[in-house]
Amino acid sequence: MGYFQGIPRYFVILYIVVFIFSVAFAIFGLSKQLTFGFDQARDAYEAFAIWHNHDFKILGPSSDIPGVHHGVLWYYLLVLPYAIGSGNPEVVAVIFFILSSLTIPLCAYLTYKLFRNFHLALLAAALYASSPLFQVFTRWLSNPLIALYIVPFLLFFLWKYVGKRKRMSSRGILVGLSFGLFIQTDFAFGLFLITLPMYWFIYKIKFKFQDFVFFGAGLMLGLSTYILAEIRFNGKAISAIIHFLNSSLSSPRFPAETILLIFQRINEFLSISILPFPYATFFFLIIVGIFLLKDYKNKDDKNAIVLLAIWLCTFIVFYLFKSGFLNSGFMFGPFLMPITIIWSYLLIHTVKNYKFLAILLTFIFLGQFYTSYMWLKKEYSPLSV
């Protein structure tokens, strides 16, 4: 019970109620709105071909860029669940529902490791579990779903590597492997590699040769199926990517249009995750401004916030390109846990009056559940194409 010392009892009760209701609501949602369309049917046939016909694959689901495919990891993850369920997608959905639910304690664990604050860990896990975006992920079967499982491990390994004064080169292989598996979930997530030079610059890391060797080995292992596919199909994906980049760079958006689009998408993301209200970005910036005025001086906390903030900055990089991916709801997946942790941290360190914080959190939780309920009532999912 030592973990609960210093936390008012009504917060503990509030979080327990939210956890129970979140799981119950997710189960109810799974029974009412399991998304199974063209993509899910295609993936089921591919998984069947692997386990029944021994037709092993090296190409994953197709992307919106002609000639480019996502990683094949998703097909192989589907094999055992479909075999267990004898081809019944409802059984597969239940298995992945359980896996998705396990990311709730992962969120709490990652938060605690970053900030050593049990109250903060509980709050982050509660906000994450009740998030409408997380709720719809629990009843959706498609390759970007795996990002929810990999991101907490990737961020944890990154923190162990860049956030500590004593770095072990061997940890680089875990970072590289996690990045490789992360890119397997959706080819577009390769853009997150741009965070690496940012971490190097901000944290002033001095790399050794073995750091590159370990990281490269892990990354190549995670991307091995991509490499095999490029060898087998004579670099078809690389040619398609070059053509895509040339077309994006040759006809860029106007800066004002890009800024407006980014602002709209950030507002949408916040409103379906941690701030289920109109003008979510405005309220988020107010809390950020108040927090910055406090000049909080905990160096370890600042390092952890920077780690998450750099990760979130990738959101802006996506909009330097033109792709149907940018209009999808599943592109928010890798950002859900980091933004939830940061928002939880900001709330606890900005709203010092516990009673007011409890009231504010109650309104946020109610707003999250109301949004999820309306989606179920209207049979709407931001993840479905």
Side-chain angles (χ1 to χ4, degrees):
M1 294 296 292
Y3 283 117
F4 294 100
Q5 290 181 357
I7 307 176
R9 183 176 297 178
Y10 50 84
F11 274 105
V12 178
I13 296 173
L14 175 63
Y15 297 148
I16 292 174
V17 170
V18 169
F19 286 134
I20 294 174
F21 196 80
S22 296
V23 174
F25 194 88
I27 294 172
F28 175 75
L30 180 65
S31 67
K32 294 293 183 182
Q33 192 195 36
L34 171 60
T35 301
F36 194 86
F38 170 82
D39 288 351
Q40 289 72 30
R42 173 205 60 199
D43 299 344
Y45 274 110
E46 297 292 356
F48 178 85
I50 293 173
W51 101 70
H52 190 267
N53 301 330
H54 307 295
D55 181 13
F56 298 106
K57 310 290 182 179
I58 58 173
L59 282 179
S62 57
S63 73
D64 64 333
I65 304 175
V68 178
H69 291 251
H70 304 302
V72 76
L73 175 63
W74 175 241
Y75 289 160
Y76 288 96
L77 288 180
L78 287 173
V79 169
L80 184 58
Y82 269 115
I84 293 173
S86 300
N88 186 347
E90 292 182 345
V91 175
V92 178
V94 169
I95 292 173
F96 279 97
F97 172 85
I98 295 171
L99 292 175
S100 299
S101 299
L102 292 177
T103 63
I104 299 173
L106 280 178
C107 179
Y109 181 79
L110 175 63
T111 306
Y112 184 77
K113 283 297 182 179
L114 290 174
F115 298 105
R116 296 292 176 179
N117 185 322
F118 191 69
H119 186 187
L120 176 58
L122 283 178
L123 173 56
L127 284 170
Y128 176 81
S130 56
S131 162
L133 186 60
F134 172 74
Q135 289 283 324
V136 293
F137 264 114
T138 61
R139 52 182 181 267
W140 185 67
L141 293 172
S142 195
N143 48 288
L145 172 64
I146 320 172
L148 263 65
Y149 311 154
I150 297 175
V151 165
F153 291 100
L154 176 50
L155 290 173
F156 175 75
F157 294 142
L158 272 173
W159 174 244
K160 282 290 187 181
Y161 187 77
V162 305
K164 302 297 181 181
R165 293 179 180 86
K166 293 183 179 180
R167 276 178 284 276
M168 295 173 59
S169 298
S170 57
R171 286 177 179 162
I173 195 169
L174 295 175
V175 176
L177 178 60
S178 298
F179 261 113
L181 296 177
F182 179 49
I183 298 169
Q184 284 268 347
T185 69
D186 194 294
F187 184 81
F189 294 156
L191 277 178
F192 279 89
L193 288 172
I194 201 171
T195 59
L196 293 175
M198 297 170 69
Y199 288 126
W200 167 74
F201 178 77
I202 296 295
Y203 287 96
K204 300 177 181 178
I205 303 172
K206 294 182 179 179
F207 289 112
K208 300 177 181 178
F209 176 73
Q210 55 262 40
D211 292 312
F212 294 100
V213 172
F214 280 113
F215 174 81
L219 182 63
M220 291 300 102
L221 180 60
L223 297 177
S224 56
T225 58
Y226 280 114
I227 297 171
L228 289 173
E230 284 306 281
I231 295 173
R232 172 65 178 81
F233 297 104
N234 301 315
K236 183 180 179 181
I238 293 176
S239 300
I241 293 167
I242 293 173
H243 180 267
F244 168 75
L245 293 175
N246 288 335
S247 62
S248 294
L249 296 175
S250 61
S251 57
R253 296 188 194 90
F254 292 110
E257 180 187 359
T258 302
I259 292 171
L260 178 61
L261 180 60
I262 292 172
F263 181 84
Q264 290 174 339
R265 291 292 281 170
I266 289 175
N267 192 72
E268 180 186 353
F269 172 48
L270 294 176
S271 67
I272 65 175
S273 57
I274 57 172
L275 268 170
F277 309 113
Y279 311 108
T281 306
F282 176 73
F283 289 113
F284 183 82
L285 291 176
I286 287 178
I287 297 297
V288 170
I290 295 173
F291 173 78
L292 292 176
L293 288 175
K294 288 179 175 291
D295 192 27
Y296 195 66
K297 296 184 181 297
N298 188 312
K299 184 177 179 181
D300 289 335
D301 284 4
K302 284 185 176 180
N303 284 337
I305 291 173
V306 168
L307 179 93
L308 299 175
I310 290 175
W311 183 267
L312 292 172
C313 284
T314 316
F315 191 96
I316 298 173
V317 179
F318 277 110
Y319 288 90
L320 300 179
F321 305 94
K322 293 182 178 180
S323 169
F325 171 82
L326 302 178
N327 299 317
S328 66
F330 53 78
M331 77 157 285
F332 296 142
F335 301 103
L336 177 58
M337 192 175 292
I339 194 64
T340 304
I341 295 173
I342 284 185
W343 178 237
S344 303
Y345 185 90
L346 290 173
L347 286 175
I348 281 185
H349 288 87
T350 302
V351 184
K352 292 295 186 179
N353 186 305
Y354 269 158
K355 291 184 178 179
F356 179 72
L357 178 60
I359 294 171
L360 177 60
L361 289 175
T362 300
F363 276 106
I364 291 175
F365 290 134
L366 289 175
Q368 288 178 318
F369 288 126
Y370 178 75
T371 301
S372 295
Y373 169 74
M374 292 306 295
W375 285 357
L376 275 179
K377 186 177 180 180
K378 296 177 181 179
E379 298 184 349
Y380 167 75
S381 171
L383 305 180
S384 299
V385 178

